Amino acid sequence: MTVLEKLKQRRAIRQYEQKPVEREKIEQLLQAATYAPNDRMREPWHFYVLQGESLKRYEEMAAAYLEERFPTKPQLVASSLAVVQTTPLVIVVTADTVEGDEAATKDNEFAVCSAIMSMWLTAEELGLGFVWRTRGVGLVHDERMHQFIGAQDNQRVIGTLFIGYPAETPTADKKRTHFSEKTTWL
Ligand SMILES: Cc1cc2nc3c(=O)[nH]c(=O)nc-3n(C[C@H](O)[C@H](O)[C@H](O)COP(=O)(O)O)c2cc1C
């Protein structure tokens, strides 16, 4: 399969079998991430792997967040929590900040985004479903996640990756605007 075909095939998978992901496969995802391009070889990524007991603690943290955010919407809280309860593996990825250098900090974030994309494609090759979450239980934009994983002050959370053996096959077409509408040839 060509790279373009692989890219066309890649999908966000949000439902998983209740089966653990083997350590060897997790290590392959992490290894794939480290080959991503990165400015001046700062290798600005760090991975926090959550399974089993640590995922249970994540669920408790997410419950507190959701109940506080949606106090009048218990159904929304329950359905959002179910997402965590039914995911066998979560990897939180951070990017290092560079003190006093916002440009370098941004470049570090771009590098981590590239690393996450490498993980996504590798996950598919390993037969795993994968989605990068930022909103809701992804908690990327909430300080609680930073504290929960025990990140350093110079680390920013970029992605919360939900991973597991897929229990869904996306049926809807993968719709994208043709590149001609997004391109200016100068
Ligand atoms: C930076 C980023 C943040 C995302 N955050 C969420 C999220 O919080 N929740 C979610 O369900 N999907 C999230 N997604 C997945 C997108 O919804 C998904 O990629 C999009 O619908 C396109 O579908 P596809 O990946 O199958 O092509 C995110 C994707 C990216 C790249």
Side-chain angles (χ1 to χ4, degrees):
M1 197 183 280
T2 65
V3 172
L4 191 56
E5 284 165 343
K6 281 250 176 221
L7 292 168
K8 267 183 169 171
Q9 188 183 283
R10 185 211 50 78
R11 296 309 302 264
I13 300 293
R14 300 181 177 86
Q15 286 167 41
Y16 316 103
E17 287 178 16
Q18 297 314 294
K19 167 178 156 187
V21 178
E22 299 86 341
R23 170 94 183 206
E24 192 200 11
K25 289 197 174 181
I26 301 173
E27 289 184 355
Q28 284 185 63
L29 296 178
L30 299 170
Q31 197 183 10
T34 61
Y35 291 122
N38 64 97
D39 182 44
R40 302 193 187 194
M41 285 301 291
R42 284 191 292 272
E43 301 181 277
W45 35 70
H46 198 93
F47 310 96
Y48 295 86
V49 180
L50 310 177
Q51 294 170 287
E53 190 273 329
S54 56
L55 257 188
K56 201 84 203 124
R57 285 191 286 115
Y58 175 20
E59 189 188 316
E60 287 160 16
M61 188 252 311
Y65 160 80
L66 291 165
E67 279 158 17
E68 188 185 302
R69 181 126 190 254
F70 307 108
T72 59
K73 296 184 178 164
Q75 278 178 339
L76 176 63
V77 171
S79 62
S80 301
L81 269 185
V83 167
V84 183
Q85 287 157 352
T86 57
T87 302
L89 169 66
V90 170
I91 304 179
V92 184
V93 192
T94 62
D96 297 341
T97 59
V98 181
E99 207 185 339
D101 191 342
E102 193 47 38
T105 295
K106 262 194 187 169
D107 284 350
N108 282 357
E109 292 180 1
F110 300 153
V112 169
C113 293
S114 304
I116 292 173
M117 184 62 180
S118 302
M119 294 171 84
W120 203 326
L121 294 174
T122 303
E124 290 206 343
E125 190 172 69
L126 296 172
L128 296 167
F130 185 111
V131 68
W132 174 354
R133 288 181 186 273
T134 53
R135 293 166 282 109
V137 288
L139 279 158
V140 161
H141 306 294
D142 193 280
E143 179 57 24
R144 259 170 282 216
M145 177 60 96
H146 190 273
Q147 279 176 16
F148 173 73
I149 57 176
Q152 313 279 313
D153 287 348
N154 72 333
Q155 290 178 324
R156 269 185 203 164
V157 179
I158 303 298
T160 304
L161 314 177
F162 284 61
I163 305 163
Y165 283 95
E168 63 165 327
T169 312
T171 47
D173 277 356
K174 181 154 160 160
K175 289 208 176 75
R176 290 296 194 268
T177 306
H178 193 265
F179 68 81
S180 57
E181 292 182 44
K182 298 280 185 184
T183 308
T184 304
W185 300 79
L186 297 172

